[in-house]
Amino acid sequence: MTYSGEVTPGGPPAVRELDHLTITKVSVGPMDNNAYLLRCGSTGEQVLIDAANEAPRLLELIGDAGLAAVVTTHQHMDHWVGLEEVVAKTGARALVHADDADGLPIEAQTLTEGDVVPVGDCALEVIHLRGHTPGSVALLYRDPGGVPHLFTGDSLFPGGVGNTDRDPQRFAALIDDVEHKLFDRLPDDTWFYPGHGRDSTLGAERPHLAEWRARGW
């Protein structure tokens, strides 16, 4: 089945099989948050991006294979409601950028720009994107046999960057980081997976960067 990235609250997950990594996307909670379970094809090691809500459902998705880590993309509560229970029941490491660590309900190991989060033999590069929150991150997987895959939390969506509460300084920080750290570095076929809603590619969004800057959100 072709991966579409379409998921609905309470609905079935969307599964994408890459050569070395399986990506399972599911929508959880009342705010239609996306959670992403990544599994290494060679080792079976698993990492969860955003234990956003519905911990029992996430634990069922994780199954008996265990969980090495949970990366929280940013400190907003709708992205960590299930974190404490998932960590307690799996023994996974909780990871978050240092600038957002004080917003989580449990102690977490801290990340910074350029860190690498292993998923078995695969790797996620940490990209710090200021603005939506002080410590928001994106996670980049460079598929050796395919296109890059980018997990953007609430910093980048189809149609624009994340909410900065119309604060000009926060917006400037976010649009600058998104443009220079993502669009300037990565090709158009980079597929990105946001914290809510549908996926997109950088190529589909690139023509609108100037429009986003002009409107200020």
Side-chain angles (χ1 to χ4, degrees):
M1 182 180 295
T2 302
Y3 173 84
S4 68
E6 297 292 336
V7 291
T8 56
V15 180
R16 187 170 203 173
E17 296 276 0
L18 307 178
D19 288 345
H20 305 283
L21 189 73
T22 299
I23 301 168
T24 302
K25 175 182 181 179
V26 64
S27 171
V28 294
M31 296 185 70
D32 190 13
N33 285 75
N34 295 327
Y36 299 94
L37 182 67
L38 311 184
R39 178 173 54 82
C40 173
S42 58
T43 70
E45 185 168 280
Q46 298 188 127
V47 167
L48 182 67
I49 299 175
D50 284 343
N53 212 314
E54 298 183 54
R57 190 166 167 222
L58 294 177
L59 289 164
E60 183 179 0
L61 196 68
I62 292 161
D64 296 332
L67 191 67
V70 182
V71 185
T72 302
T73 57
H74 63 287
Q75 65 177 240
H76 287 160
M77 183 178 180
D78 59 308
H79 290 261
W80 54 252
V81 172
L83 177 64
E84 192 167 9
E85 185 175 348
V86 168
V87 166
K89 292 191 174 173
T90 63
R93 295 180 298 146
L95 304 174
V96 69
H97 190 276
D99 292 344
D100 272 12
D102 60 355
L104 264 58
I106 59 174
E107 187 172 348
Q109 298 177 34
T110 56
L111 301 168
T112 190
E113 175 83 19
D115 282 352
V116 172
V117 178
V119 188
D121 293 337
C122 302
L124 303 173
E125 177 192 340
V126 175
I127 303 172
H128 182 201
L129 302 171
R130 307 157 300 149
H132 181 64
T133 65
S136 290
V137 297
L139 301 159
L140 172 63
Y141 171 62
R142 294 185 181 271
D143 185 355
V147 305
H149 297 262
L150 184 67
F151 301 88
T152 57
D154 282 3
S155 292
L156 177 64
F157 295 95
V161 297
N163 179 34
T164 53
D165 295 322
R166 300 300 177 105
D167 181 313
Q169 290 185 322
R170 287 174 56 195
F171 173 74
L174 182 54
I175 193 72
D176 284 348
D177 278 359
V178 164
E179 182 168 357
H180 300 316
K181 293 184 178 183
L182 304 184
F183 284 92
D184 286 355
R185 288 182 56 204
L186 297 168
D188 282 351
D189 57 5
T190 301
W191 190 283
F192 73 86
Y193 308 78
H196 306 263
R198 64 182 180 87
D199 308 344
S200 187
T201 64
L202 294 189
E205 308 304 320
R206 192 183 300 276
H208 306 290
L209 279 168
E211 171 193 333
W212 301 349
R213 277 193 180 275
R215 75 188 185 192
W217 54 272

